[in-house]
Amino acid sequence: MHTGYKLLMAATVVSSTIGFTHDVSAQSDSFKIASTSYSQPLTQVESIIGGKKVETVRYKLGSVDRLHDGLLYSSYGDQVINLKNSKTTLKKVADSPLRITKYKNAYYALSMSNLNEFSLTKYTSEFKKIGQTKRFVGHGRDMIVTGDKVYVLANNMETETNSVEVHTFDTTHFTSLHLEKIKPMVFAFHFRHAGNDLKIYGNKTEAGEELSIASYDLKKQQSKIVLTSKQPVMWVDETKALSPTKDLVFNTYSMLEVDQKTKQVRVLYSSKQALIDYAYDSKTKTYHVLEGNFETSNYRVKTLNSHFKPVADYKFQPTGRLMPFQVL
């Protein structure tokens, strides 16, 4: 989503109320909204309970667009905050980190080091660099570390037509173990580890933005397109299993249900606004969907029930030119 600031971070907790309106009463609703500034070193996380803002935590780090695995960082910067261990210390990492993942007490960082080039760097739990940064061809999109292997999903733009590639490296020296080209997919957004396979989500053609899903068998090191659909997708950010045969695919346009068995794709939820992020509440079995219009700076969080029907609608306008990027 979106030149880091080499400043020390300070966190302050401020209690506040109001700022949200809800069309449907849902006192049990509880979620957090993370927003960031692209003009000053500021990111904040607001806690919302029953439609009321009850707490705001602020950090002196701007242009943030990543908050996962207890880490807060920007894909345009070189700083990371470990929210689990410290709320006041910035650690330096390789510039433009796209994904940082912890595996066996070490952190692995996938970064965009240059045009059509990604890099891999390994760090200790305190973010001290281990070994050398390695660079490879391709625009890195996603990374999974499992089974003492690092898998990187990349779009190679050097070829006559874009190609989607899955790289396999060891976790010690980032030695290349295998390179798999996912044909005929031309662009990929995201992949997910599912049993012995990697599921890759992207587009099969440059025009039309039709959903295409490929499967890569980790043992056989073979890939194939398993599903294509006329349903358009853009920036698939997250997927999850709804059942043994059905997946949820979240993208800018919609939330989709993909039935791997019947090869059917149906829209569970869509909006006139862009879908930015979502969070699932397992206690209430509801989905909190962050959506908005970036031009008008009008944003909202809609609560959907287990049937993906809206049951609450929280409207808000960020102050201080803050842009929401994630719901928790």
Side-chain angles (χ1 to χ4, degrees):
M1 295 178 187
H2 318 291
T3 339
Y5 295 86
K6 297 181 180 179
L7 299 171
L8 290 178
M9 190 286 296
T12 59
V13 179
V14 180
S15 294
S16 57
T17 58
I18 313 304
F20 287 74
T21 62
H22 51 98
D23 298 336
V24 179
S25 177
Q27 295 302 315
S28 61
D29 263 4
S30 175
F31 55 87
K32 296 179 181 180
I33 298 173
S35 304
T36 195
S37 171
Y38 291 94
S39 60
Q40 58 180 316
L42 173 63
T43 295
Q44 67 180 29
V45 178
E46 298 172 290
S47 298
I48 313 300
I49 298 177
K52 294 183 178 180
K53 199 187 322 182
V54 298
E55 184 180 81
T56 301
V57 181
R58 296 188 176 96
Y59 307 94
K60 283 192 175 179
L61 179 64
S63 302
V64 168
D65 55 358
R66 301 287 192 271
L67 202 175
H68 58 82
D69 298 334
L71 303 177
L72 184 74
Y73 55 101
S74 167
S75 62
Y76 283 88
D78 61 356
Q79 305 286 344
V80 61
I81 298 173
N82 188 336
L83 300 180
K84 294 180 180 179
N85 295 338
S86 173
K87 293 185 179 180
T88 60
T89 304
L90 288 171
K91 300 290 186 179
K92 185 175 175 61
V93 294
D95 196 32
S96 304
L98 299 169
R99 172 72 66 176
I100 303 175
T101 299
K102 191 172 185 179
Y103 178 74
K104 290 186 176 181
N105 297 317
Y107 284 105
Y108 295 81
L110 167 68
S111 300
M112 185 171 62
S113 50
N114 211 329
L115 184 64
N116 202 47
E117 179 186 88
F118 69 87
S119 67
L120 293 172
T121 311
K122 187 176 181 179
Y123 300 94
T124 67
S125 58
E126 292 299 318
F127 284 97
K128 293 181 180 180
K129 188 176 176 180
I130 301 173
Q132 298 295 315
T133 295
K134 298 289 185 70
R135 291 175 169 78
F136 306 92
V137 175
H139 180 87
R141 284 295 309 159
D142 209 349
M143 176 180 67
I144 293 172
V145 188
T146 183
D148 291 335
K149 291 182 176 63
V150 179
Y151 299 98
V152 175
L153 177 66
N155 296 307
N156 190 340
M157 302 178 185
E158 278 191 348
T159 56
E160 188 173 328
T161 58
N162 294 351
S163 65
V164 174
E165 301 173 346
V166 174
H167 297 255
T168 304
F169 306 96
D170 68 38
T171 55
T172 305
H173 303 292
F174 298 131
T175 302
S176 179
L177 302 176
H178 185 72
L179 173 61
E180 181 75 12
K181 293 183 181 293
I182 311 298
K183 298 178 180 180
M185 192 179 286
V186 299
F187 195 89
F189 303 105
H190 162 85
F191 67 167
R192 178 166 60 90
H193 186 209
N196 294 322
D197 298 330
L198 295 179
K199 290 185 178 180
I200 299 108
Y201 300 80
N203 300 138
K204 190 174 179 179
T205 62
E206 293 187 46
E209 301 175 345
E210 296 94 344
L211 171 65
S212 182
I213 303 176
S215 177
Y216 174 51
D217 190 309
L218 297 175
K219 291 184 177 181
K220 296 179 180 179
Q221 294 186 330
Q222 296 175 350
S223 63
K224 61 180 180 180
I225 299 292
V226 296
L227 184 147
T228 56
S229 170
K230 292 184 179 180
Q231 188 66 48
V233 296
M234 177 58 66
W235 302 116
V236 175
D237 293 318
E238 189 174 346
T239 63
K240 75 172 219 173
L242 292 174
S243 74
T245 61
K246 295 180 180 180
D247 289 347
L248 172 66
V249 177
F250 181 88
N251 70 101
T252 303
Y253 298 149
S254 60
M255 299 176 77
L256 304 174
E257 179 193 81
V258 176
D259 192 319
Q260 301 284 358
K261 187 176 181 179
T262 65
K263 309 300 181 183
Q264 297 297 309
V265 177
R266 70 184 182 101
V267 178
L268 297 173
Y269 176 74
S270 63
S271 172
K272 293 181 180 180
Q273 296 182 305
L275 304 188
I276 303 169
D277 188 41
Y278 87 93
Y280 178 67
D281 189 333
S282 59
K283 293 182 179 179
T284 59
K285 296 183 179 180
T286 55
Y287 296 82
H288 302 295
V289 182
L290 172 63
E291 54 186 77
N293 186 316
F294 298 104
E295 294 182 356
T296 62
S297 295
N298 290 316
Y299 301 94
R300 67 207 308 153
V301 173
K302 282 190 179 179
T303 299
L304 312 179
N305 63 20
S306 59
H307 300 289
F308 294 89
K309 302 298 181 183
V311 294
D313 188 354
Y314 305 91
K315 304 172 186 177
F316 64 101
Q317 280 191 303
T319 58
R321 296 183 179 180
L322 290 170
M323 181 181 293
F325 64 92
Q326 194 162 334
V327 59
L328 308 164

